[in-house]
Amino acid sequence: MLYDPQNCPCLNVDCDLYMNCEECINRHHSSRKYPLTACEICKPEGCEKREVSNREELLEIMRRCDVCRLALNNEGYPYIVPVNYS
């Protein structure tokens, strides 16, 4: 089952729509900036594997967003770098 409020993969637990699948779907599917729900993002491979290595897929993500957050790992220490570009 793609949408299961009891197993919501969304990390934004403070969202007013957290675990409210129908409203979450409506909000995301009407958004240009965030068109996919966490469930849709995690479905193909699971949340454990979110690495995007395909160049065309990376460029498409960058076209849709104003800010990208690069998640990196250096010697076992993860960190995130927000990148704003025009």
Side-chain angles (χ1 to χ4, degrees):
M1 177 177 190
L2 179 58
Y3 301 104
D4 178 9
Q6 300 309 313
N7 295 310
C8 183
C10 183
L11 300 177
N12 188 6
V13 296
D14 295 327
C15 176
D16 61 323
L17 302 180
Y18 184 70
M19 296 179 64
N20 182 347
C21 298
E22 189 172 330
E23 293 300 319
C24 177
I25 293 165
N26 289 338
R27 179 182 289 174
H28 280 280
H29 287 190
S30 63
S31 169
R32 284 194 56 185
K33 192 169 185 176
Y34 305 107
L36 299 177
T37 65
C39 293
E40 293 165 334
I41 292 168
C42 292
K43 175 68 174 155
E45 299 117 3
C47 284
E48 296 78 32
K49 185 176 181 196
R50 291 189 184 181
E51 177 182 1
V52 179
S53 56
N54 177 285
R55 180 178 169 78
E56 291 305 314
E57 191 175 350
L58 285 169
L59 291 173
E60 178 56 31
I61 291 170
M62 292 173 70
R63 280 187 210 101
R64 289 191 331 236
C65 301
D66 296 324
V67 176
C68 279
R69 291 166 184 86
L70 300 175
L72 306 164
N73 189 334
N74 185 22
E75 298 180 10
Y77 295 98
Y79 60 98
I80 294 179
V81 179
V83 181
N84 187 339
Y85 48 89
S86 47

